[in-house]
């Protein structure tokens, strides 16, 4: 139940894109069609879901003072996190290239750029700051990824729809995407404030 | 045809005064549907054009307007402890309600239509009628005591960012009326929450006591008229709020103490018939249902969305009953429909054909999810008293996605059959 709460919270209530505005660059750039957005969203779910527990092991067992070495190495956190994320992204890239070359081509540079997608590094840093344990970090990673995935396919569907709208020329493309993201953020505020842990504690 | 000839002779020139021409065109097409034929492409031609479609919605909510006006006056006098019977001092309550409602209505329409007219003149197309419905809905979903400058600001935000940036009527992604309401809700939270917001015309005096807040128009102008016609009941400028009166809405009572706390203050029939504090148009359920039936009968609104929304909300409320972790969850599921603005949101908000899903299967999914999310926000989210506004905006965001996948599944089904 605790894990489910963390999943729901990361996916809907504290959505990485629409509540923290993390991972905006690929979110805005790849959301032109639902198909590519879907592929990138799945890649982000995978990378977040895998890097989070790996990074948990690194930060708890290698870098912390209570870990195996007994030395405080937390200054290495950022570089090690990035290294883990980069290697995972490499893995995803190889898989996508093998399975679906068309998706690989349409994602282009944004697939390797997941490495510097701040939603993913941000997720790992949230995990450290909130002191999740191993299984909680998996739930948080999958939930955060799922929230990112939902946000990007929702905006992609809207952008496919407004392609036929008479948008003022100055706002076409990115301008509209920014306005849409803001409006979606307002809509997602509906769930902000729900505290799943408090609800289950009452039971 | 004499009238149309006369009006045509008065038509301003499009080149020299574009703004006047758009203005003329907007009102002319109210009276006569235009008879230009389209050139090229296939078009459906129907007497039921956008203006007449919109007017159906506005007509369907007239009963809510009448009741809302009266109820605003009624709640005001109940808070002061005078004329507490529902049909006492009808003249005072109606006049009071009208004095509150008219400025809200005029400001909302003036700002919204003003922006629309300006854009229409600037872009050189006819006036798009989209704001007719939004302009009628916004007063109904406002709290009675909303400051007019906040209302004007929120309407301007909703029309410019929510609609004109997307290219005008029919292109918006989020419901305009709800967007303006949510703007007030998040930008000026103190004006729209708290128990005092739902009863009009009260202000704190120097001793921190709530007193009636009458202006010269009540005590000077209308009291003069009433005296002239020999009425005994007048606006009393010295009236004070009765002790123990809070103006709490059923929902805030339920959130605090469950169904028992609600029934201590209001009876279920009172809630059903709507003599309770709340947003102007949302309280009287039977009149809203009549409006919904008009919309269904004229096929303006989709029964699929309404039905699936009721089902979704009922199922979620039953599940919450089963979970039963706090007093609010334990409120019997059928009584959840007595409180708040469920029916209003169902009849006039969720069925907005522009922002809802447009495929038939999509509509059912869309309505069902609104019912679920709205009930979850209402009961589980302590930050907000009511959930439908936010639930509908939330699902507006996902409506294009639902449509996309319904279409995809239809395509793949037909490909398999071929």
């Amino acid at each position: 139940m605790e894990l489910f709460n963390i999943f729901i919270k990361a996916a809907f209530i504290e959505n990485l894109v629409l509540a923290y505005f993390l991972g905006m660059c690929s979110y805005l750039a790849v959301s032109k069609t639902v198909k590519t957005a879907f592929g990138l969203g799945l890649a982000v779910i995978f990378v977040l879901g895998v890097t989070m527990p790996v990074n948990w092991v690194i930060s708890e067992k290698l870098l912390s003072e209570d870990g195996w070495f007994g030395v405080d190495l937390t200054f290495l956190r950022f570089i090690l996190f990035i290294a883990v994320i980069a290697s995972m992204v490499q893995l995803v890239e190889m898989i996508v290239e093998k399975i679906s070359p068309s998706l690989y081509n349409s994602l282009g540079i944004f697939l390797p750029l997941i490495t510097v997608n701040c939603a993913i590094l941000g997720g790992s840093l949230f995990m450290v700051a909130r002191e999740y344990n191993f299984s909680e970090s998996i739930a948080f990673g999958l939930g955060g990824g799922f929230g990112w995935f939902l946000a990007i396919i929702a905006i992609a569907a809207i952008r496919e729809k407004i392609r036929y709208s008479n948008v003022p020329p100055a706002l076409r493309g990115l301008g509209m995407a920014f306005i849409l993201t803001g409006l979606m953020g307002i809509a997602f505020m509906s769930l902000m404030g729900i505290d799943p842990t408090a609800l289950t504690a009452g039971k | 045809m004499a009238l149309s000839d006369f009006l045509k002779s008065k038509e301003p020139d499009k080149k020299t005064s574009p703004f006047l021409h758009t203005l003329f065109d907007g009102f002319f097409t109210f009276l006569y549907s235009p008879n230009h034929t389209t050139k090229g492409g296939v078009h459906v031609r129907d007497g039921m054009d956008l203006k007449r479609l919109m007017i159906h919605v506005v007509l369907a909510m007239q009963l809510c307007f009448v009741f809302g006006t009266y109820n605003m006056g009624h709640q005001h006098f109940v808070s002061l402890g005078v004329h507490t019977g529902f049909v006492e001092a009808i003249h005072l309550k109606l006049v009071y309600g009208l004095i509150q409602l008219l400025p809200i209505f005029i400001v909302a329409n003036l700002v919204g239509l003003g922006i629309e007219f300006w854009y229409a003149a600037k872009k050189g197309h006819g006036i798009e009628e989209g704001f007719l419905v939004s302009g009628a809905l916004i007063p109904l979903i406002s709290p009675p005591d909303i400051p007019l400058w906040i209302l004007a600001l929120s309407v301007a935000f909703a029309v410019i960012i929510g609609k004109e940036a997307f290219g005008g009527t029919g292109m918006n992604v989020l419901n305009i009326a709800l967007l303006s309401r949510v703007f007030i809700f998040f930008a000026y939270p103190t004006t729209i929450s708290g128990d005092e917001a739902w009863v009009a015309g009260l202000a704190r005096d120097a001793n921190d006591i709530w007193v009636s807040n009458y202006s010269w128009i009540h005590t000077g102008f209308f009291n003069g008229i009433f005296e002239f016609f020999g009425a005994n009941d007048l606006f009393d400028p010295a009236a004070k709020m009765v002790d123990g009166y809070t103006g709490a809405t059923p929902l805030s009572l339920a959130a605090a103490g469950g169904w028992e706390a609600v029934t201590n203050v209001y009876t279920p029939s009172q809630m059903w018939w709507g003599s309770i504090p709340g947003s102007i148009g949302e309280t009287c359920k039977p009149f809203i249902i009549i409006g919904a039936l008009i919309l269904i009968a004229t096929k303006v609104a989709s029964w699929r969305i309404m039905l699936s929304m009721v089902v979704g909300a009922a199922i979620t409320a039953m599940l919450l009953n089963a979970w039963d972790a706090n007093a609010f969850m334990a409120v019997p599921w059928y009584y959840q429909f007595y409180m708040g603005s469920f029916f209003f949101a169902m009849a006039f908000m969720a069925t907005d054909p522009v922002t809802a899903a447009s495929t038939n299967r999509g509509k059912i999914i869309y309505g069902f999810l609104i019912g679920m999310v709205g009930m979850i926000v209402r009961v589980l989210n302590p930050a907000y008293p009511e959930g439908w506004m936010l639930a509908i905006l939330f699902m507006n965001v996902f409506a294009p996605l639902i449509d996309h996948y319904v279409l995809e599944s239809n395509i793949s089904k037909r490909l398999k059959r071929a």
Side-chain angles (χ1 to χ4, degrees), chain A residues 38 153 166 168 189-190 192 203, chain B residues 165 167 323 381 384 390 401 405:
Chain A
F38 189 85
I153 56 172
N166 183 19
M189 275 176 88
S190 55
M192 215 173 273
K203 180 69 182 172
Chain B
W323 186 2
N381 195 340
Y384 311 132
L390 291 157
L401 189 70
Y405 281 113

Side-chain angles (χ1 to χ4, degrees), chain B residues 184-236:
Chain B
I184 303 172
F185 189 81
F186 286 129
Y188 302 96
T190 48
T191 60
I192 205 163
S193 58
D195 290 340
E196 297 84 24
W198 306 107
V199 179
L202 297 172
R204 282 182 196 277
D205 69 358
N207 303 322
D208 212 28
I209 296 169
W210 288 95
V211 295
S212 65
N213 184 16
Y214 294 133
S215 64
W216 65 271
I217 196 157
H218 301 98
T219 52
F221 184 67
F222 278 106
N223 273 358
I225 291 180
F226 293 148
E227 265 170 0
F228 180 77
F229 286 105
N232 294 321
D233 300 320
L234 298 173
F235 290 113
D236 175 14

Side-chain angles (χ1 to χ4, degrees), chain B residues 269-321:
Chain B
S269 81
Q270 210 180 348
M271 280 185 265
W272 182 252
W273 290 101
S275 63
I276 50 171
S279 290
I280 296 169
E282 69 168 22
T283 54
C284 184
K285 279 75 186 177
F287 285 173
I288 296 168
I289 292 174
I290 291 173
L293 290 178
I294 293 174
L295 290 181
I296 292 175
T298 51
K299 296 195 177 163
V300 171
S302 154
W303 61 267
R304 287 186 177 83
I305 295 177
M306 296 197 199
L307 186 71
S308 59
M309 192 170 153
V310 173
V311 173
I315 289 178
T316 315
M318 283 181 215
L319 288 177
L320 290 169
N321 279 176

Side-chain angles (χ1 to χ4, degrees), chain B residues 129-167:
Chain B
E129 296 78 6
F131 199 74
L132 275 181
V133 174
S134 308
L137 277 172
I138 288 170
L140 288 181
I141 57 176
S142 301
D145 244 356
I146 178 106
L148 294 176
W149 65 272
I150 293 181
L151 184 73
L153 204 62
S154 74
V155 172
F157 169 82
V159 173
I160 294 173
I161 303 290
K163 185 151 77 177
E164 294 301 338
F166 286 81

